[in-house]
Amino acid sequence: MVKQIAALEISNRYYKLVVGYTLDNKVDILYKVKKPLSVPFKDGDIFDIGSLSADLAKIKNIEKSTKNVKMSIGVNEVVLILPPYGLQVFQSVKSTNTVSQVSKIDRIDINNALSLIKKEKLPSVNDDLIDIIPNTFIIDGDKTFLTPPLNEISTTITIDANVYTLPKKMVSDIYKACENSQIKVKRSVVAPIGVSYLLTGSKFKTRTYVLIDFSDKTTSLSFVGDGVVFASNFFSLGFDDLVLKVANEFNIDKKKAEDLVNLYGLDNRQTSYNPAIAIGTDSLGAERKFTKDDLLKVILEFLKTWVDYFNGSLKNLVLNFTRKPDLVEKITLAFMGEGSKLNGLKEYLLKILPSNPIEFLTIPTVCCREPEFINCLGAIYMASSYRGALEDENKIQVTQINRVDDNASSQRSSLRREKYDELKDEL
């Protein structure tokens, strides 16, 4: 019997809840909902925990109506999706002797090695440890494994793992809101990590790329090498800022502005008939009719600014991590999030970034096509296949995982001996 998982994502303006399960390496969706927050926040800085708690409390009793059936869905336990704002990634390698008198590796040996990593002092006292994800397990004879080498004979076990941290205040506030609403967080997943697992499972065409979440108020960029998230940054400009710019330029309400952006987007087709699409006022308060060309001009102005920020963030992310300037213009860019649904955006970016392969991610399920829900699907997929090193019931338990295929495992083992060189097989 498949296990149903509820994934909860709290973004700057909305919370999203998706209930689903993983079957045959694919995520199937039973229910999804997106609701606005009573008090929006910015870049993980929650202004009103009480208001957020009240919003989240509503997911405990959700009514789902279909053509002939009305049913209630009660959610008390969730996989919580954390945004990557301030995400830090560190590599840690720890070894321990095996406990067994016959040197047979047991789960306690894996837990002991992970415990050593968990006890390491974090570089910043303002960060919280979010997850420990093993890269390789090494035993006597320098043999490496991608999954825990249970029952193998070895006097020692070494774990090479990535340690993920996030700002303590942001994590604490989100958890407090869940606690106040009596929602149990079974485990947490950092958004781009869950998506990287989903893309690996979906046989995404490349294993090294930059994942771009063009969200409502923020755009985050995460460097993924060989299917693993290694670094992330963000800038405070998103789809909502575009909507607000249109609303201000046309002097119309935000709902009308959002409808116009979603309907037309970057529609630059030239026709002899150019009717008014909105009626607002000019700077003097006089009534003015705005056309599709006026909308296109505003969107292009916004995107020019957005691309300037994006280029700077992309350059810093790639150079700071790989020290390879030529990679900035070669690496695949994988777009997702609310802003990625903007009509004509992909064609615009192909002109602005002609040397980068550009992919707009589509969700591999017929039940949920909207790109803004992909973080939830990633969390469901990851929670189904790998519960992580810091799960709720046993903070250092590891279950077997397999993030790469057998052909890649030997490459991965040798690559891990260097500081970082996953790019050899990709570019």
Side-chain angles (χ1 to χ4, degrees):
M1 183 176 179
V2 295
K3 182 180 179 182
Q4 296 180 12
I5 296 172
L8 173 65
E9 179 182 16
I10 307 167
S11 62
N12 292 304
R13 289 179 58 207
Y14 303 95
Y15 71 81
K16 302 161 194 169
L17 178 73
V18 174
V19 180
Y21 58 91
T22 300
L23 182 64
D24 295 332
N25 214 35
K26 293 182 180 179
V27 180
D28 289 329
I29 301 303
L30 300 173
Y31 176 81
K32 69 179 189 302
V33 66
K34 172 184 174 183
K35 295 289 186 181
L37 297 178
S38 300
V39 179
F41 54 89
K42 184 79 169 178
D43 302 344
D45 188 6
I46 298 174
F47 306 131
D48 190 337
I49 295 179
S51 173
L52 178 58
S53 302
D55 288 336
L56 297 181
K58 297 173 185 176
I59 74 174
K60 296 181 67 178
N61 295 288
I62 298 173
E63 289 192 346
K64 177 184 178 183
S65 298
T66 61
K67 196 169 186 179
N68 301 312
V69 180
K70 186 175 183 178
M71 59 183 293
S72 295
I73 299 176
V75 175
N76 297 308
E77 184 178 87
V78 299
V79 172
L80 179 64
I81 301 162
L82 295 172
Y85 310 142
L87 178 67
Q88 298 291 329
V89 187
F90 310 98
Q91 187 178 26
S92 181
V93 180
K94 294 296 181 183
S95 300
T96 185
N97 294 326
T98 51
V99 175
S100 169
Q101 292 184 353
V102 294
S103 299
K104 181 181 288 188
I105 296 175
D106 199 351
R107 196 168 297 278
I108 189 174
D109 301 311
I110 307 296
N111 289 348
N112 287 341
L114 283 169
S115 182
L116 293 175
I117 297 176
K118 183 185 175 186
K119 291 177 181 178
E120 273 192 299
K121 185 178 180 180
L122 298 178
S124 173
V125 296
N126 296 318
D127 286 347
D128 260 348
L129 176 62
I130 302 302
D131 210 349
I132 300 169
I133 300 182
N135 296 307
T136 55
F137 301 84
I138 307 169
I139 65 174
D140 293 351
D142 218 18
K143 296 179 181 178
T144 60
F145 299 81
L146 296 180
T147 57
L150 300 177
N151 299 321
E152 293 285 337
I153 302 299
S154 179
T155 58
T156 62
I157 175 70
T158 300
I159 295 183
D160 178 334
N162 284 343
V163 178
Y164 296 89
T165 70
L166 284 172
K168 184 174 295 186
K169 183 181 184 304
M170 179 184 74
V171 175
S172 174
D173 287 350
I174 294 177
Y175 266 82
K176 187 173 181 60
C178 291
E179 180 183 351
N180 290 345
S181 57
Q182 297 183 335
I183 295 173
K184 180 182 179 182
V185 178
K186 188 168 184 61
R187 69 150 296 162
S188 59
V189 173
V190 183
I193 298 177
V195 175
S196 70
Y197 269 76
L198 180 66
L199 293 182
T200 297
S202 303
K203 306 298 181 184
F204 188 54
K205 59 182 59 179
T206 179
R207 295 181 57 80
T208 297
Y209 52 93
V210 173
L211 181 65
I212 300 105
D213 189 350
F214 189 175
S215 189
D216 43 17
K217 289 181 175 293
T218 307
T219 301
S220 65
L221 294 81
S222 301
F223 184 93
V224 183
D226 197 22
V228 179
V229 174
F230 282 97
S232 186
N233 65 19
F234 71 96
F235 58 92
S236 298
L237 202 61
F239 183 76
D240 193 49
D241 296 287
L242 168 59
V243 171
L244 186 60
K245 181 175 178 62
V246 172
N248 290 338
E249 292 285 343
F250 289 8
N251 200 12
I252 58 178
D253 64 70
K254 282 187 64 177
K255 179 62 172 65
K256 176 62 175 176
E258 186 170 359
D259 290 343
L260 291 174
V261 172
N262 287 332
L263 179 61
Y264 294 101
L266 290 166
D267 186 353
N268 56 9
R269 292 173 296 178
Q270 299 297 318
T271 62
S272 57
Y273 182 57
N274 191 25
I277 60 172
I279 299 177
T281 56
D282 60 20
S283 58
L284 299 177
E287 183 178 284
R288 178 184 170 186
K289 295 181 179 180
F290 295 91
T291 68
K292 188 179 68 174
D293 289 344
D294 296 320
L295 177 64
L296 178 62
K297 180 181 178 182
V298 175
I299 294 177
L300 289 174
E301 287 176 354
F302 168 82
L303 286 178
K304 185 179 184 301
T305 302
W306 184 89
V307 167
D308 287 342
Y309 279 100
F310 174 80
N311 283 335
S313 295
L314 177 64
K315 184 176 181 179
N316 288 336
L317 180 70
V318 176
L319 289 183
N320 287 344
F321 188 66
T322 68
R323 304 293 193 270
K324 297 181 178 180
D326 59 326
L327 185 58
V328 176
E329 297 181 356
K330 292 180 180 180
I331 195 165
T332 297
L333 307 176
F335 285 86
M336 52 176 277
E338 189 175 4
S340 68
K341 66 184 180 182
L342 180 67
N343 178 40
L345 179 62
K346 184 174 183 178
E347 292 74 15
Y348 173 84
L349 291 174
L350 286 170
K351 294 178 181 178
I352 299 296
L353 306 166
S355 58
N356 290 97
I358 293 178
E359 299 289 336
F360 272 52
L361 300 181
T362 56
I363 295 179
T365 176
V366 296
C367 306
C368 182
R369 292 294 188 185
E370 299 94 327
E372 57 195 297
F373 284 100
I374 195 169
N375 285 330
C376 293
L377 269 71
I380 291 173
Y381 184 86
M382 184 176 177
S384 299
S385 58
Y386 171 49
R387 299 187 66 191
L390 299 180
E391 61 183 78
D392 177 68
E393 296 171 359
N394 184 345
K395 293 297 184 182
I396 55 173
Q397 181 179 344
V398 171
T399 53
Q400 291 196 3
I401 61 172
N402 190 1
R403 286 184 291 185
V404 296
D405 55 35
D406 293 337
N407 292 331
S409 63
S410 61
Q411 298 173 4
R412 179 69 172 271
S413 299
S414 61
L415 291 173
R416 272 293 169 189
R417 306 209 169 277
E418 303 172 26
K419 183 176 181 181
Y420 180 75
D421 204 4
E422 279 86 346
L423 304 176
K424 285 182 178 178
D425 296 326
E426 294 295 333
L427 299 169

